[in-house]
């Protein structure tokens, strides 16, 4: 990859695209897999997304986490197979087709034809696959799309059959009726975790209905419900045996009611003011067996002799309703359980007068064809006409909706096929603890609690586009065969060449039961798509049907790593765990990272309709993929917490991380080339050992130690999959590198100290940048590659490669780690930061030198650590002296105040006394509190963290307050800095010099000059004071600029090559600067002293001299001391310091005429 001249401003998105083209040109991903063959396998399962929509930030986040971990696994010596997968079956596709075709019911599907229906589904399944591949690759993720797996492929579906048959043979599959969350919009039951995906706040009718006792029709049992549509199917009423019930006479209506005594509030707004008479009290257990008159007689002929009486169960509570719950066994899980337990209904036959679309059937003839939710009002009106509505209200509550069709779910008994998850509970809990989750609380709390309350898993769906259940049975379900492979099906049905096992191809295939000779037909259901995705570890490789799959599975199961969002604790994580436990009694994965949800900036769910988030690719094209990746994985979302996505946050990553990193890299490259230009030698990492490089310069020692600590930390934390600790540490190192190491070493790295120091410093910086490119390669793959392609020119043979992504992470460098010195530099940084804060508070520029700063700390060792690096403190804070003291009381008085928010809650009424005592504490007492961490006040232990501690200038320094500014880190371990702001004449002049240098450097940068471009500077000002300072310190300013001393503008030669002129100001004083190309300065008058020379010929000789590059002529003059040139047949002997000078200022200083 060719890297040209580095621009001053880099377009990260453009360079990322260039890197991506380079990867494609060399086949980087494919080559990496070839290079890693034979290494230890690192197995990774990628949960399959649907390709019916484009990737959103949730996909991008999970994909980034997966890419980071798998890239890092490769970098630690593993072979990492990464195959993309597609979830191709299920409701998302079906729902879209039904909307497009206007299909609403099962009859519509059958009329259209299952084959035609599935053909339509197949056509849209991979509609956005191309876009997915383009976007995923643009985001820097390396994953194999060419050898992807699809849940619709026959090989995948066959493995799903095999999984199911294994469960069946283990006795873990059964057919039963179960009340399930049911989507009338999609005409299918949903799993419990799907039912929890989409709750909405809604208003529903809430009615209190009266049920007259059979033996005493004037006594009315009161039952409350928010689903009036279930009342026609009422079979029983249920009470709690332990609760107290009351029979009352309502004076207003003259009617007699029975309800829970604690629930009178359901009948009366204020029971204390209500007018009623208590007639009797009962225990719930006393009421069991009471018979009552049903609201409707639809089911009386069939169930009248076995239903319509009171039962008891513990699920009845008194937190709402009347304490008497109406039971409709086909529409409530507890209702079903209770009614079956007392024999009111049979497991095999239920009173369920609602069809698959949620419309009433016979025998509920009054409402046949009416959708259940629309029937609520009609049913309430019918009951009201019977005089049996006691109360009719609206109830505002949270209610589950179908996550696809957005229709309200109902609970409905359906025949379905179940996996006995409840039977596996203990093993599920045990296997869960065998894996490692990040963060841990998701494993033990959210997922652990889900497993603790596990229910049998309904794995069937009454749908069409999916893997058909491989169950052939007779009509009575007394005979059953479960098929585990296509070959087995072909053998049993007598048909060969079966290549597709979707419903349209196998529904008509009949099997003769070998044992009975009876004909068996396939059941209608297909698998829940969660069962298919949970089978991914086996089905994605067509296990166990090929030898290659069997060999690979042995090395790849359980997976080393998976990652998905928090919502998958009840989805993919769960199904993987159930199937792995059922098949092998193992966890499906060893390590799992769970990310939180990415929300819109306003905290709401991201919505295309509301347009409350920026398009991901717009963000990438504006700021770059690396910046987006870093923003996402350096946020709370990698700790399973929610993230409010802010595009400004991505922009900040570019500004605060990517640009400083680029600037440090660019700074190195520029100066490495400058060194090569000056010496003909190039930098080569590895010429010196890390210890040798670190021993020569304190900052080298520090940055090499910090790098060693970083490498150790990254390896340690990545082994534990704690991205949330790794990324902040990497980012902090980049900040340290750019804001501290490069900044504090800038003169040295630019060659201002010595050639040897220059070379060593740049070699050190190259080593750090090379290591950083490898450490960051997993996180910022594009920019790491971009920097490496140039840095490898300075790398040793062992680090030469086509791509940084073929290299391993840096080896441990624990031998260079010096934690004590790192801590000392940390204290130095703290002192410098405090000094800057103090300047900013008083608005004193860093260019203005100051006399001294006093650093105070109770621990002399802390002060000694700063003292050892004092030169940096002086330089960075532009102070001439640093004073140290351990006597804090000589400088400040400590005051304390209680934190009302914290202590107020803790202490309650005692807070006032404690608050007063805290505020009266002496400075010494506050100091003791800081040192000890707590103090007892008014009988309460008060922690230091509950107290706000401030520091005021000591009374002895009050008269100097105008000239002193304090800054403090905080806590007993923090430094205190007192900056002396007094400026005398000498300091003022030094500050003026710095301002002039700053103006020249800005002009230099504006002209695009580099260090090789030598300059001379001329000036003019109308301010005598400013002019005097510049004149007196012209040489000092010139030394800083690496130029001759500044001269007044009147001395500018008319033949000078002017780079730029500018009008500026220093303070309020005007200043004109003229920057010209540095050139040798001949004295025409003295050149004319040559034999046969005239003024005109000497002028020609001077023009020739001025045309020469100053560096070339200077070198020639220094080498020969005298040089002879011949111009127009006149020979001139050039004498440095007599008739030719290095600069105009040197000529003037020598008193030579022009």
């Amino acid at each position: 990859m060719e890297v040209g001249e580095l621009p001053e401003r880099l377009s990260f998105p453009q360079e990322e695209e260039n890197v991506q083209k380079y990867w494609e040109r060399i086949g980087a991903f494919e080559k990496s897999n070839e290079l890693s063959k034979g290494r230890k396998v690192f197995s990774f399962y990628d949960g399959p997304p649907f390709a019916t929509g484009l990737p959103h930030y949730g996909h991008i986040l999970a994909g980034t986490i997966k890419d980071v971990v798998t890239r890092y696994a490769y970098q630690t010596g593993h072979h990492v197979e990464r195959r993309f997968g597609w979830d191709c079956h299920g409701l998302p596709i079906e729902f879209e087709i039904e909307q497009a075709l206007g299909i609403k019911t099962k009859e519509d599907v059958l009329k259209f034809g299952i084959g035609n229906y599935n053909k339509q589904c197949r056509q849209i399944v991979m509609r956005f696959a191309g876009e997915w591949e383009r976007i995923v690759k643009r985001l820097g993720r390396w994953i194999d799309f060419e050898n992807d797996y699809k849940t619709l492929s026959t090989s995948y579906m066959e493995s799903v059959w095999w999984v199911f048959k294994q469960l069946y043979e283990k006795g873990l599959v059964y057919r039963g009726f179960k009340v399930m969350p049911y989507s009338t919009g999609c005409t299918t039951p949903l799993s419990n975790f799907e039912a929890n995906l989409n709750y909405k706040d809604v208003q529903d009718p809430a009615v209190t209905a009266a049920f007259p006792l059979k033996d005493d029709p004037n006594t009315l049992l009161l039952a409350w419900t928010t689903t009036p549509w279930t009342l026609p199917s009422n079979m029983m009423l249920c009470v709690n045996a332990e609760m107290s019930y009351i029979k009352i006479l309502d004076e207003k209506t003259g009617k007699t009611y029975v309800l829970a005594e604690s629930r009178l509030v359901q009948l009366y707004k204020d029971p204390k003011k209500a007018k009623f008479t208590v007639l009797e009290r009962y225990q719930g257990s006393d009421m069991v067996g009471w018979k009552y008159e049903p609201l409707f007689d639809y089911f009386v002929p069939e169930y009248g002799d076995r239903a319509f009486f009171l039962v008891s169960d513990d699920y009845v509570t008194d937190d709402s309703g009347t304490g008497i719950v109406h039971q409709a066994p086909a529409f409530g899980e507890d209702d079903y359980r209770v009614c079956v337990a007392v024999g009111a209904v049979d497991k095999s036959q239920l009173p369920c007068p609602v069809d698959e679309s949620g419309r009433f059937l016979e025998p509920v003839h009054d409402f046949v064809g009416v959708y259940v939710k629309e029937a609520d009002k009609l049913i309430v009106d019918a009951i009201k006409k019977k005089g049996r509505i006691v109360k009719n209200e609206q109830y505002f509550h949270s209610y589950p909706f179908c996550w696809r069709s957005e229709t309200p779910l109902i609970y409905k008994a359906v025949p379905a096929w179940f996996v006995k998850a409840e039977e596996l509970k203990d093993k599920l809990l045990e296997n869960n603890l065998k894996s490692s989750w990040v963060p841990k609380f998701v494993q033990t709390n959210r997922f652990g609690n889900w497993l603790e309350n596990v229910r049998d898993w309904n794995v069937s769906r009454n749908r069409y586009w999916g893997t058909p259940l491989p169950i052939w049975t007779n009509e009575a379900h007394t005979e059953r065969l479960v098929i585990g492979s296509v070959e087995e099906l072909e053998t049993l049905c007598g048909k060969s060449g079966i290549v597709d096992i979707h419903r349209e191809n196998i529904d008509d295939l009949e099997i003769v039961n070998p044992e009975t000779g009876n004909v068996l037909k396939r059941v209608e259901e297909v698998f829940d798509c969660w069962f298919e995705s949970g089978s991914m570890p086996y089905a994605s490789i067509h296990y166990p049907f090929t030898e290659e799959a069997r060999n690979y599975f042995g090395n790849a199961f359980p997976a080393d790593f998976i990652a998905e969002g928090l919502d998958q604790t009840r989805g993919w994580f769960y199904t993987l765990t159930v199937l792995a436990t059922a098949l092998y009694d193992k966890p499906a994965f060893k390590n799992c990272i769970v990310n939180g949800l990415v929300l819109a900036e306003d905290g709401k769910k991201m919505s295309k309709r509301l347009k409350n988030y920026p398009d991901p690719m717009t963000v990438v094209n504006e700021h770059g993929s690396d910046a987006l990746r870093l923003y996402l994985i350096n946020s709370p979302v990698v700790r399973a917490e929610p993230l409010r996505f802010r595009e400004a946050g991505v922009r900040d990553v570019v500004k605060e991380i990517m640009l400083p990193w680029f600037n440090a890299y660019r700074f190195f490259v520029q100066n490495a080339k400058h060194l090569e230009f000056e010496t003909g030698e190039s930098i080569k990492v590895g010429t010196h050992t890390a210890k040798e490089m670190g021993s020569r310069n304190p900052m080298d020692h520090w940055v090499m130690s910090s790098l060693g600590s970083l490498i150790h930390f990254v390896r340690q934390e990545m082994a534990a999959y704690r991205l949330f600790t790794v990324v902040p540490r990497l980012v902090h190192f980049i900040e340290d590198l750019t804001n501290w190491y490069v900044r504090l070493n800038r003169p040295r790295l630019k060659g201002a100290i010595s050639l040897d120091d220059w070379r060593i410093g740049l070699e050190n910086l190259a080593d750090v940048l090379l290591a950083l490119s490898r450490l960051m390669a997993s996180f910022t793959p594009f920019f790491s590659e971009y920097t490496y392609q140039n840095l490898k020119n300075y790398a040793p043979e062992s680090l030469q490669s086509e791509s940084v992504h073929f290299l391993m992470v840096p080896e441990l460098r624990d031998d260079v780690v010096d934690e004590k010195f790192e801590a000392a530099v940390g204290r130095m940084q703290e002192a410098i930061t405090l000094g800057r804060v103090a300047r900013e508070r008083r608005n004193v520029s860093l260019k203005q030198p100051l006399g001294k700063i006093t650093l105070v700390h109770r621990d002399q060792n802390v002060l000694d650590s700063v003292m050892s690096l004092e030169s940096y403190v002086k330089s960075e804070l532009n102070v001439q002296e640093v004073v140290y003291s351990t006597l804090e009381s000589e400088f400040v008085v400590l005051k304390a105040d209680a934190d009302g928010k914290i202590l107020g809650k803790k202490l309650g009424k005692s807070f006032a006394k404690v608050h007063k005592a805290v505020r009266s504490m002496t400075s010494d007492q506050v100091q003791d509190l800081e040192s000890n961490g707590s103090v007892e006040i008014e009988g309460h232990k008060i922690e230091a963290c509950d107290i706000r501690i401030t520091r005021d200038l000591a009374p002895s320094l009050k008269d100097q307050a105008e000239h002193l500014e304090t800054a403090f880190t905080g806590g007993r371990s923090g430094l205190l800095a007192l900056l002396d702001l007094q400026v005398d004449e000498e300091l003022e002049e030094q500050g003026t010099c710095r301002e002039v240098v700053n103006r020249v450097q800005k002009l230099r940068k504006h002209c695009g000059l580099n260090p090789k471009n030598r300059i001379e500077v001329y000036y003019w000002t109308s301010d005598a004071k400013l002019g005097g300072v510049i004149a007196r310190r012209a040489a000092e300013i010139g030394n800083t600029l690496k130029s001759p001393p500044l001269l007044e503008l009147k001395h500018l030669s008319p033949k000078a090559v002017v780079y730029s002129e500018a009008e500026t100001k220093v303070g309020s004083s005007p200043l004109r600067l003229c920057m010209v190309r540095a050139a040798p300065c001949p004295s025409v008058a003295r050149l004319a002293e040559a034999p046969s020379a005239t003024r005109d010929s000497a002028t020609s000789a001077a023009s020739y001299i001025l045309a020469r590059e100053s560096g070339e002529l200077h070198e020639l003059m220094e080498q020969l001391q005298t040089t002879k040139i011949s111009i127009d047949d006149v020979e001139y002997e050039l004498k440095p310091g007599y008739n030719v000078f290095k600069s105009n200022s040197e000529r003037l200083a020598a008193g030579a005429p022009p």
Side-chain angles (χ1 to χ4, degrees), residues 250-515:
D250 179 63
E251 295 183 13
K252 184 177 180 180
T253 62
K255 293 183 178 180
T256 301
Y257 301 128
V258 177
L259 72 165
E261 187 168 7
S262 59
R263 293 304 304 164
L264 283 166
V265 70
Q266 183 62 40
L267 197 58
Y268 304 112
K269 189 173 183 181
D270 185 353
K272 291 182 180 179
K273 296 180 181 179
K275 296 181 178 181
F276 62 87
T277 303
V278 178
L279 301 179
E280 287 186 67
R281 283 185 169 84
Y282 313 99
Q283 197 70 11
S285 55
D286 298 333
M287 302 165 64
V288 173
W290 290 1
K291 293 189 175 182
Y292 65 89
E293 292 285 349
L295 292 172
F296 299 95
D297 58 5
Y298 305 127
F299 293 102
V300 171
E302 187 174 354
Y303 294 95
D305 59 346
R306 54 196 291 200
F308 309 116
F309 59 89
L310 267 69
V311 293
S312 69
D313 194 87
D314 292 343
Y315 94 90
V316 178
T317 64
D318 63 353
D319 57 356
S320 62
T322 63
I324 302 176
V325 181
H326 118 79
Q327 307 291 293
F331 305 115
E333 194 170 359
D334 286 314
D335 308 42
Y336 172 80
R337 176 178 56 80
V338 169
C339 291
V340 168
V342 298
V345 295
D346 297 323
K347 283 186 176 182
S348 59
Q349 188 174 3
L350 294 176
C352 184
V354 174
D355 69 11
E356 293 171 327
S357 300
R359 301 178 184 279
F360 274 107
L361 300 167
E362 292 288 358
V364 184
H365 47 266
D366 296 308
F367 309 109
V368 167
V370 181
Y371 180 61
V372 290
K373 298 301 278 186
E374 294 170 359
D376 275 337
K377 186 176 184 305
L378 301 176
I379 291 169
V380 171
D381 288 343
I383 300 172
K384 192 181 291 183
K385 287 179 182 177
K386 299 182 179 194
R388 291 172 65 175
I389 291 291
V390 176
K391 203 169 185 181
N392 185 11
E393 306 169 293
Q394 289 294 309
Y395 181 60
F396 189 75
H397 64 145
S398 185
Y399 192 84
F401 277 66
C402 175
W403 63 295
R404 286 297 173 188
S405 66
E406 291 293 338
T407 55
L409 298 180
I410 64 172
Y411 280 80
K412 182 175 182 286
V414 291
W417 297 88
F418 295 89
V419 170
K420 296 178 182 178
E422 294 171 31
E423 189 174 301
L424 297 170
K425 175 182 170 181
D426 291 342
K427 289 183 178 180
L428 291 171
L429 290 167
E430 182 181 339
N431 285 329
N432 176 41
L433 297 178
K434 291 178 182 177
S435 56
S436 176
W437 290 53
V438 177
K440 188 75 174 177
F441 75 85
V442 179
Q443 176 186 23
T444 54
N445 295 352
R446 189 181 179 100
F447 192 61
N449 292 341
W450 180 253
L451 295 180
E452 191 67 51
N453 297 289
V454 69
R455 300 178 185 180
D456 285 351
W457 176 17
N458 174 14
V459 297
S460 62
R461 294 290 179 268
N462 301 89
R463 299 300 302 174
Y464 319 98
W465 178 239
T467 301
L469 262 67
I471 302 172
W472 270 256
T473 183
N474 61 354
E475 192 171 343
H477 286 280
T478 55
E479 298 179 32
R480 186 181 301 157
L481 286 177
V482 174
I483 307 301
S485 69
V486 173
E487 182 182 356
E488 184 181 0
L489 175 61
E490 288 179 339
T491 300
L492 290 172
C493 74
K495 180 180 178 181
S496 61
I498 298 176
V499 295
D500 187 344
I501 54 176
H502 282 94
R503 281 194 63 177
E504 64 271 23
N505 300 305
I506 66 169
D507 275 4
D508 293 335
L509 298 182
E510 297 179 345
I511 294 176
V512 176
N513 189 334
E515 295 182 2

Side-chain angles (χ1 to χ4, degrees), residues 53 214 248 276 292 338 560 616 683 685 696 809 857 976 1073 1097 1131 1153:
K214 209 55 155 161
I248 63 170
F276 62 87
Y292 65 89
V338 169
D560 288 295
I683 297 298
V685 172
R696 296 184 179 230
V809 292
H857 198 281
L976 168 66
L1073 293 172
S1097 66
E1131 190 175 80

Side-chain angles (χ1 to χ4, degrees), residues 1085-1116:
R1086 290 183 175 177
L1087 286 172
E1089 296 172 359
S1092 304
T1094 65
R1095 180 80 184 182
D1096 288 343
S1097 66
T1099 301
S1100 296
S1103 297
Y1104 169 79
I1105 293 169
L1106 287 169
R1108 302 292 294 275
E1109 284 289 340
S1110 60
E1112 177 190 345
L1113 191 63
H1114 287 178
E1115 290 164 10
L1116 192 60

Side-chain angles (χ1 to χ4, degrees), residues 87 100 187 304 318-319 322 335 372 440 450 489 525 551 733 793 808 820-821 892 948 1000 1011 1082 1097 1100 1111 1136 1145:
D87 203 341
T187 65
D318 63 353
D319 57 356
T322 63
D335 308 42
V372 290
K440 188 75 174 177
W450 180 253
L489 175 61
E525 293 93 337
N551 291 336
F733 182 81
N793 295 320
M808 300 298 100
K820 185 177 179 181
F821 191 71
V892 291
R948 289 193 297 268
V1000 175
S1097 66
S1100 296
S1145 61

Side-chain angles (χ1 to χ4, degrees), residues 12 16 619 622-635 643 645-663 727 730-731 734-735 738 776 779-780 783:
F12 289 99
E16 287 178 354
V619 172
E622 182 68 26
H623 309 293
S625 294
D626 283 341
L628 177 58
R629 287 167 65 112
L630 265 189
Y631 171 72
L632 290 172
I633 57 177
N634 192 30
S635 74
L643 168 67
F645 185 87
R646 296 170 52 252
E647 185 177 357
V650 184
R651 190 182 303 116
D652 289 344
V653 169
V654 175
K655 179 182 175 182
E656 297 168 10
I657 302 172
M658 303 303 297
L659 277 174
W661 183 7
F662 168 71
N663 288 335
V727 180
L730 286 165
V731 168
I734 292 173
E735 291 170 350
T738 57
M776 291 294 292
F779 305 90
T780 53
F783 192 66

Side-chain angles (χ1 to χ4, degrees), residues 212-251:
L213 286 175
K214 209 55 155 161
D215 298 336
D216 183 6
N218 292 323
T219 297
L220 306 175
L221 304 172
L222 300 187
W224 176 80
T225 182
T226 58
T227 54
W229 63 268
T230 63
L231 289 171
S233 305
N234 170 260
M235 292 285 115
M236 312 283 287
L237 293 176
C238 189
V239 296
N240 188 312
E242 302 301 319
M243 282 170 51
S244 297
Y245 291 81
I246 190 171
K247 179 178 179 180
I248 63 170
L249 174 65
D250 179 63
E251 295 183 13

Side-chain angles (χ1 to χ4, degrees), residues 26 356 369 448 544 563 654 705 745 1018 1078:
I26 68 170
E356 293 171 327
V654 175
S705 177
N745 274 284
Y1018 295 83

Side-chain angles (χ1 to χ4, degrees), residues 570-618:
R570 298 179 178 183
W572 194 51
F573 298 154
Y574 172 70
T575 61
L576 283 174
T577 301
V578 171
L579 293 183
T581 298
L583 291 172
Y584 298 108
D585 193 17
K586 290 182 179 181
F589 46 87
K590 300 173 187 175
N591 298 282
C592 175
I593 295 179
V594 186
N595 63 263
L597 300 179
V598 183
L599 306 174
E601 189 170 352
D602 59 6
K604 296 178 181 177
K605 186 178 178 181
M606 287 186 171
S607 166
K608 290 182 181 178
R609 180 178 58 83
L610 296 175
K611 297 180 179 178
N612 60 351
Y613 66 94
D615 177 78
M617 294 314 294
T618 301

